[in-house]
Structures are given as structure tokens and as C-alpha cells.
Amino acid sequence: MLKTTRRKVVPLEEWRRFALMLGLNESGVALPTAAEAKVAEYLAAYHDLASISAGPYIEPQFDEADTTRELAERIMAGAQAQIVGNSGSGKTELIKVVARLTAQAGAMPIFLCAREFETRLAPLLQTSIARSTALSPNQLFKAAAKIGAEIILFVDGMNECPPNRRSELVEALQAARLKFGVRLVLTAQEPISLPTILRGEIIRLLQPDSIQSQRLVATHLGRELTDNERRSVEVVATAHDAAVLAAVFETPSKIDGRFALYHSFVRKLLHNASAEEVEHSLAALATSMRTNFVSSLPVPAAERMLEGNKQVTKEAACSAGLIRTHDNQLAFRHELIADFFAAAEILHRAKSVEELSEIARQPINAELREFLLGGCGTTSEIEAMIGKEPDPRLLRVAFLGHAGQKARNYVIGRLRDLISELGRNYSKVTLALPEGLSSARDLSSLVPSFPDELENGEIDKTYLGLIPYALRDSLLPDLLDLFASVDRRLSSEAQRLQGVHPDLRISWHAAAYGSVYGMHYHHAGGRDLQQLLHDIQNRGFYGSDSVPVHHLECYLDSFETLSPGQIFLLVGALRAASNASLPSRFVELIQHTWDLRIYHLRLLICDVIRFRGSELPRDQRQAISGALHGWMSNQNIFINSIIIDALEGVDGIEIEITVEDAVEEYESVLALPDTPEACAFALGAITRTYDHPFRDIYWEAFYKALPVEKRQRLLLRGLRDERRDPWFIDDVLRALLREPTAAAAPELQKLAQIPIVESHSPQLALNVYANSIALLAKLAVPLALPDPPPRNPASQAWYRAAPLIYALNIDPTLSSGKMAEEVDNFRVCGAAEAFDVVQRLTRERRNMLRPANVEFESSWPDLILELCRAVLSPDYAPASIFERVFPDRALADDHLELALSLLAKVGRTTDIALVSRWLNHPKHGERALQAARSLEQRSH
């Protein structure tokens, strides 16, 4: 570059005049408009600040297949979203990165903290925007509107906004959406109810598994972990834990469990001589806040609760970053840090193992149990903490190592004891033919029984449910020995029965194995191994953890050395282990398994082929296809359908069908006379779009190629099917939603009167009822309820609920005085009957059609408050038109659980006393605690 101006230089304006004289036109880039400059300035400053303040980032654990970038692209394309996950799952970091990506793409992100909302959105917007521009929100929004830049509000921590302000925040966000066209991305620990205009997809985040935890810690450290360091990461249960572990990784003390992890973290931050005094004072503060149901306090009130030198403690804790103050409110930096201090206080004050165990069992301390267990130093303390009726969540975290190695070893020892107990019990099992069996062809299962001293004995089901997660932790050999010993006993019983019944032509060995390992209904003891195998097959041996069972494929490659029960165990583990390699001798394995002639094992191996067959090389897929075709039978239609599903997994279905062929099939069904049989045929034709080997072709034919008018005629016929099975009707309604037709109104009006009680699925019956009402509302067709209403109060409650659901789906604002009569009609049916409607609709809300609105609490909070108070009263007796579906779950428990949840939304501070009565309830205490906290926040 020139340092000094050259002499006799020709000015730029002279050159411009010279160019114009020559007839040249200026073609430079146009200067940005004022609006473009304002938006560009904001985006540049936002991106710079976000990049500087951003820490290490790694993809969170999504519940479904997703990525941060894909989510950002959907947001840019016009989507809204709620990001839901437990504390420490990475919600905040996720939306910060998504916001930065949207800024790079030209949208205008504005990041807001819900906990800072008071009564108006404007101050919150101004505080956020001021970090990146001197413009006011109104000026920035006008500039964005001029150039068409989309404004996206990223609202973090909706659960941290006090409930009494949360509705005001939602109203303010809706006003911003209507006035400025902003879109929303929210985070919360649980999905929150939103007006239709604010709703979006729900993205669920999981806590990190072991592999994810290693990546998180490595990212925070900025380097790869060594093998020894990877083993230490087992203490990590949340994304927040990963950051804490990285912060103390270089400390010389051993990190054995999460309690030790947070203890080391706190000591590192409080690196002065008064650390112990500050810890003690913060522990008292955390305990007081917990028992008073608050997560933040006015600073003067918090200082009053501190012990010792209050000012020094507060300054030291703030300086260390353990607590934070904002707007004269004090809170712990993270709720996990508050939990650690509250647990430390309990451990300090408990005078005995018995007292510690008793305190830990109080529902108000449920969130602290993992820290409390990690703070136990002896086996007797661990045993007392876990107790005789252990909390499954506590067992799981202990097994995973989150409470330290001693607690983990204790749990693994108990699992080994349980496996030995199962072996002793099944060594005494005897088998018998069912009473009244007249033909071998009628046999579905032999009947297992045990000696009298074992008949009334109960295996610990909580520990039994933990075994599937422990297969990779050296328990697989123990389980293989267990099944080998049981197989020896079953083989002996099969030989004995064959000798007793020589005239019956039964495959006695296959029947014996199938009766104990297959899914048959026997008394409790006879189902223990069935339940264990079922859990292994369906829950997986790792839960959300992606670490495979070591050498699973090696075991299966030696299938000739395995007994039937061992094969059942290993094939079940293979079914669950999508990340485990298939055995190299898989083709031989499946033939060997089929030849064992154990019915449920045949179903299981077909299931493995269906879901894992595509991983095999082509020659093996062809070989398996040939085997599957050879297994087809003229005697068992059901097993043939399972084989067809398996053939799909190896591309073994040889019949070809085109979209045109499928359309022709649909048209042939329409050509039939309109009879009950034709309605049944139509329903079957519709189900081919999702339950058929060629479902993709049928789906394209039905939804893309078939004219709308013909599709609607098929759907109407299906809707008139005489069987009135909600399983199929629900599918018809979902299809009708695409192109609703008023011709469906007569059938919808019948379905909207009351749920189909005689259905085998109450859940689907509720969906059909609510979705029919929603579709009528969408079509603006009246309900046309028959008169008089049902006489039974429980049935009448559903009849009276229909106009309320209809109103919600026409216009939720009708919930004021215009609906008073309908609300009163619903109320007088009885508190128990009315609340059962609310409870069941709320539970099934996620499964209903997208437009279906059944959120009574949003439109009639006073009604719901009245019902909740009635449910929580001592003399409440539940009622329902439905029979009990789950034998182990009482209707009263369902009602109580929802009443406490709804009271947290619609209750008043005066309801804290009512909720407090339930704090020590073994089933509902934790839900009562959440309600009490929400109600307490209303006073802020």
C-alpha cells in the first residue's frame, strides 16, 4: 500500500466524469439500504458474541434420529419447536448453536431466558438485543420487516419461569407472533401447553450414554481421552456432569461417583481456607430452599438463611460461581449443585444408618438419593440406603457406577445372588399337561409348578428387571450357566412326561422349553424366566447405552455347543443389540434354531432376520430367503405372516406389484355393491398402506395416485365397518384428516357421542371419540348428540364433554361465558366421573390427531381446579366407564397423579396445604413435591 499520496494524482471524480463522457455506465454494487445495514450489523455482532462465548459443543443425545444442523434447517424452513429434556441433557447449548446457525443463514435470532420474564416481554427483548445493537426492539423489528428477515425467538428454560408468570409469558409470545410474525423455539423439562399458533414439533433429548459422555468430556478437555480416563467417565449421568468432570480431571483425588465428583468440583472452586465454612453454609441454604419448595429467593431472604459470616459466604460463593444473583434474586448456579449441597447436609446431620435410610426414603428427597448413596462409605450404609424394596432408578444409577464403585459392586453381587436363586428354584420345576387336554393338537403350553415352599416365594422383580442392563458386565457367563442348568431340568421333565404319556404324539422337549421360555401365562414363579427373556429382547441389555455385549457373535457362532435356553438368551440379546455384529455363521444358526421346533424361538429368529437381515451380504440373504420359503406351512397362517415379514428383511419377496396394480385393486373394491362385506374389504384395503410387505407401493397408490373422490369413498366405507374396531377406525380418521369430507359427518356424529367401551383398547377408543369430534369441528358440522343423554353418570360425563371438546376445536376463546351452561352440565355429572374424562383424554393427548385440542385446563382452569381439589380430598372415590386395564395400577392412582400435575398449573398458593398432605405418600410424594414447588413460585 502507498504510504504517501502521489503527486499530480487524478481525482476519482475526474475519472468518473471521463467515463461518463465516453458513454460508460456505473455498474458497481449498490450500497445496502439502511434496513439492510441495521440487520447486518445486528447479525455480525450477534454471531461474534455467540462465537466468543460458546464453549465446546458436541451433538446431544436425541430421542429420535436427528442432528443439530437438521433441526436448524427445519427452523430456517419455517418450523417451530419445543426442545424437551431433563436437567443437564444439553437443551441450552443446543438452542444456542441452532440460533448461531440461523444467524449465519440470515435469520434474526433473539435469545431469551424465561426465568427473567416478569410482566412484559419488551424489557426482556431489550436486554437481549442490547448485546448486539443500539437499536430498540421496535426499530430492529421494523428493519427486519423491510428486508424480509425472519425473527426467531429462542426462549430457554420455560420450566424456570414461575407458573403464575408462565401464562403471561405465553400470551406475550403469542402477541409477538401475531404482531411481528416471530417464530419460537422453546426449551423445557416437560412439554408445555401452547396455543395453536405457537405449537411446533417436540424434540426430546436423552441423558448421555457412556460413549456420548466420553465425547462430551473429551470435547471440554480439547483432547482425546486415555483408556484409564475413559473408565472414569462412568460417573457422568448428564451433560452438566461432563463439564464438571472436565473441570476437575487433573485433580489428584479419585473421582468415585457423582457425589465425589461434585465434592471435588466445589473444593476446586472454593480453593481458600474458608471452603469448609462456605460449604456448610451453602448446604443449609440448599436444604432450606428445598424444604420451602423454591429454586430462588430474594437476596435478603437468602442471606438470612446463610450460616456463619453471611457476607463472606455469599461473596465467596458468587466469586466461585456456585450461586448467582439476578434482579435481587439468588439461586444456585445449577440445580444439580443445589442437590449436592442438600445431600451433603443430610449426610452430615444423620446420626445413624437407620436415620439416613429413613430420610432418603422421604419423597421430598427422591432427587437426592443418588448423591446420598454416593456419600455412603460402608456396605451396611449402602444396603440400608437401597433397602428391601429398592427404587429401580436408584438401582440403575448404582449399577452404572454413578454412586461409586462400592455401591456398584454391591448391586452386581445382588444380581449374582438372584441368578443363583433362579437356578435353585428352576432345578425343582415340574411340568404337567393342562387339565382336560384331549388331543396333542390342542396343546399350547405345559404347566410348570414348584414345590410348596417355593410357590409363595417371590423373586425380587426390581433386581430381575436390572439384569438385561448387566449382560455386558461379566454376568453373561452366569446367565448362560443358569439357562444350561434349567435346560437340563426341562429335558429330564420332557423325558418323564413322554414315559407317562406314550400315546400322545408331542414334541416333548420343544414343548418343555417353549412352556418355560415362551410368553405363556403362568403363575408368578413360572413367569420369571419368561419376563427376563422378554426384557432382554425388548428393552435391550444397555438401555440407552451403546456398548455391546462382548463376544456375543462368538458365542452364537458356536451354537452347536449351546442348549436351547442359552440360544433363546443369546438370540434375544442379538435382537436388542442393533450395534452388535451378526454371527459369521448366521445362516447355519437360523436353520439350527428353526429345527429346535420351539415356537416362540422361531418367532424370535424371524424377528432378527426382519430387522437385521439387510446387514448381510447378498449370498447370505439369498440363502436365508430360500430357508424361509422352505419354512412356509399350510397349517399355521400366523407363522406364515411372520415368515413373510422376515422375507422382507432379506429382499426375499419375489412377487412384483406396481402402483398401477394397487390402484386397480382399490378400484375393484369400490366397484363392489355397498354391503357390510364391501365395507370390511375397504377397511382391509386401507390397512395395506401400513401393514403389508408392499405397504410403500400401496401408500403411494392410495395417497398419491388414487383420485381424492375415490379415496374418500373407500374411507367412508371403512368408517361404516360393522365391527366398529377403534384400532382400524383410528387409522381411517387419520387418513380422512388429509381431505375431510362432510359426507363422513353421520358416522363421525355417532362416534362422537361416547367412547366405544366394548373395545379391546380403551386408548384407541378415546382417540376415535376425540378425533371424531375434532373432525366435525374442522368441517363445521354440529355434533347432533341424541336426546336424552345416558342415565349412567360416568357415560353422561363423556356425553357432556363432547360439546366442550367441540368448542376447543372450533374456537378456544368460547371458553368464557358462552360455554357456561355446557361446563355446568359437565360438572354436575360428578367430580369422579368428570375427572376420569379429563384424566384419560390428557393421558392420550399425544396420540390424537394434530388439530385435536382436549386441554380443558387451558380454557376452564376454575373447573379443573375444582375437580383436582375433589380428587385430592380424603373421601374421594374414582369412577369410570372403562374396566381396569392394568391390574397393577389402580384407577385412584391415575387420578391422583394427574390431579397433582394439573394443580401445579391451575392451583393457587392456598393449595399448598392440600398438596403437602401428599408429600410423604410412597407413590405420589414426588409429584406432590413438584406441585408444591410450582405453587410456591406463584407467590413470587
Side-chain angles (χ1 to χ4, degrees), residues 453-469:
E453 67 270 17
L454 297 178
E455 286 287 356
N456 298 322
E458 278 288 326
I459 287 288
D460 192 319
K461 297 298 190 294
T462 309
Y463 280 97
L464 186 69
L466 187 61
I467 289 178
Y469 302 100

Side-chain angles (χ1 to χ4, degrees), residues 99-144:
R100 197 162 74 243
L101 291 172
T102 59
Q104 290 174 358
M108 283 184 44
I110 299 175
F111 194 90
L112 308 175
C113 292
R115 68 170 176 269
E116 297 173 6
F117 176 79
E118 293 184 351
T119 56
R120 296 172 57 243
L121 192 61
L124 206 57
L125 291 170
Q126 180 62 60
T127 301
S128 178
I129 287 171
R131 301 185 184 106
S132 304
T133 181
L135 299 173
S136 70
N138 204 37
Q139 290 171 323
L140 187 62
F141 284 11
K142 284 182 178 179

Side-chain angles (χ1 to χ4, degrees), residues 11 131 141 145 161 191 212 330 345 373 378 465 469-470 472 492 530 578 624 644 702 720 757 844 847 854 863:
R131 301 185 184 106
F141 284 11
C161 180
Q212 181 79 349
L330 182 146
E345 178 76 351
L373 182 60
T378 66
Y469 302 100
R472 64 181 176 88
S492 173
Q530 293 177 13
S578 58
I624 291 174
I644 290 172
F702 189 76
R720 294 197 301 271
V757 180
E844 295 306 315
N847 298 323
V854 293
L863 167 68

Side-chain angles (χ1 to χ4, degrees), residues 869-933:
R869 287 172 172 172
V871 174
L872 296 173
S873 64
D875 56 349
Y876 178 74
S880 179
I881 62 170
F882 292 100
E883 294 182 3
R884 189 171 60 169
V885 178
F886 304 103
D888 58 342
R889 194 170 75 198
L891 180 63
D893 288 331
D894 287 342
H895 283 203
L896 285 166
E897 194 76 3
L898 182 69
L900 289 166
S901 296
L902 290 177
L903 201 62
K905 299 179 182 179
V906 302
R908 299 171 186 148
T909 53
T910 53
D911 291 307
I912 292 178
L914 176 62
V915 171
S916 296
R917 297 175 195 164
W918 295 91
L919 283 174
N920 289 320
H921 193 282
K923 288 184 179 179
H924 307 295
E926 292 181 48
R927 186 68 69 182
L929 175 61
Q930 294 170 10
R933 286 174 176 166

Side-chain angles (χ1 to χ4, degrees), residues 237 258 370 373 392-404:
R258 294 179 75 210
E370 183 177 335
L373 182 60
R393 298 166 297 180
L394 187 61
L395 276 190
R396 179 84 195 281
V397 299
F399 166 73
L400 291 173
H402 297 166

Side-chain angles (χ1 to χ4, degrees), residues 93-105:
E93 292 305 312
L94 171 61
I95 64 164
K96 283 181 177 179
V97 174
V98 171
R100 197 162 74 243
L101 291 172
T102 59
Q104 290 174 358

Side-chain angles (χ1 to χ4, degrees), residues 306-617:
L306 291 170
E307 297 181 357
N309 190 326
K310 303 178 187 299
Q311 191 60 33
V312 171
T313 295
K314 179 190 157 192
E315 290 177 1
C318 284
S319 176
L322 293 172
I323 60 176
R324 52 178 168 75
T325 59
H326 174 77
D327 195 24
N328 203 37
Q329 289 281 316
L330 182 146
F332 280 89
R333 161 179 163 175
H334 195 281
E335 62 187 60
L336 288 173
I337 293 175
D339 287 350
F340 163 75
F341 279 115
E345 178 76 351
I346 291 173
L347 289 165
H348 175 72
R349 294 192 176 182
K351 303 301 182 186
S352 66
V353 171
E354 293 74 23
E355 183 183 357
L356 177 62
S357 175
E358 184 179 347
I359 293 172
R361 292 199 184 294
Q362 295 172 6
I364 194 171
N365 294 319
E367 298 154 321
L368 307 182
R369 288 172 190 158
E370 183 177 335
F371 280 128
L372 292 172
L373 182 60
C376 293
T378 66
T379 301
S380 60
E381 287 181 331
I382 291 170
E383 190 167 30
M385 271 290 301
I386 291 177
K388 294 180 180 179
E389 297 180 3
D391 180 342
R393 298 166 297 180
L394 187 61
L395 276 190
R396 179 84 195 281
V397 299
F399 166 73
L400 291 173
H402 297 166
Q405 192 60 41
K406 187 179 284 287
R408 187 173 188 276
N409 290 341
Y410 174 83
V411 171
I412 290 177
R414 287 293 303 270
L415 292 177
R416 286 202 164 97
D417 290 344
L418 177 62
I419 291 171
S420 298
E421 185 181 355
L422 285 169
R424 289 192 297 272
N425 288 355
Y426 276 87
S427 69
K428 299 175 183 178
V429 68
T430 57
L431 301 175
L433 290 171
E435 291 185 11
L437 183 76
S438 57
S439 168
R441 187 170 295 178
D442 298 330
L443 178 67
S444 61
S445 171
L446 300 173
V447 181
S449 59
F450 295 87
D452 292 341
E453 67 270 17
L454 297 178
E455 286 287 356
N456 298 322
E458 278 288 326
I459 287 288
D460 192 319
K461 297 298 190 294
T462 309
Y463 280 97
L464 186 69
L466 187 61
I467 289 178
Y469 302 100
L471 286 187
R472 64 181 176 88
D473 287 87
S474 69
L475 286 185
L476 185 55
D478 299 73
L479 286 170
L480 288 169
D481 289 344
L482 165 66
F483 280 88
S485 68
V486 175
D487 283 345
R488 288 192 291 272
R489 176 66 181 183
L490 296 179
S491 177
S492 173
E493 281 297 287
Q495 292 174 4
R496 181 183 64 80
L497 287 172
Q498 187 172 12
V500 173
H501 305 283
D503 297 332
L504 285 177
R505 297 177 59 83
I506 293 174
S507 178
W508 290 102
H509 282 79
Y513 299 130
S515 300
V516 171
Y517 300 140
M519 292 310 295
H520 299 287
Y521 183 81
H522 302 305
H523 63 82
R527 294 200 304 270
D528 289 335
L529 290 184
Q530 293 177 13
Q531 190 61 51
L532 174 59
L533 288 169
H534 177 269
D535 289 347
I536 288 171
Q537 295 160 22
N538 292 282
R539 281 196 302 192
F541 47 79
Y542 52 77
S544 62
D545 198 336
S546 57
V547 178
V549 172
H550 296 301
H551 312 305
L552 179 60
E553 68 277 12
C554 297
Y555 280 113
L556 286 168
D557 274 333
S558 302
F559 58 81
E560 296 97 340
T561 65
L562 300 173
S563 65
Q566 291 176 321
I567 292 178
F568 230 126
L569 167 68
L570 294 169
V571 172
L574 186 67
R575 164 66 179 86
S578 58
N579 55 353
S581 300
L582 291 174
S584 59
R585 299 179 62 197
F586 188 65
V587 177
E588 298 168 80
L589 168 65
I590 66 162
Q591 187 61 58
H592 175 81
T593 303
W594 190 267
D595 291 342
L596 291 173
R597 303 180 68 183
I598 303 170
Y599 183 75
H600 286 89
L601 186 54
R602 285 180 168 184
L603 300 183
L604 180 59
I605 198 64
C606 284
D607 213 35
V608 174
I609 296 169
R610 178 186 180 186
F611 291 104
R612 304 289 306 275
S614 61
E615 302 170 24
L616 296 167

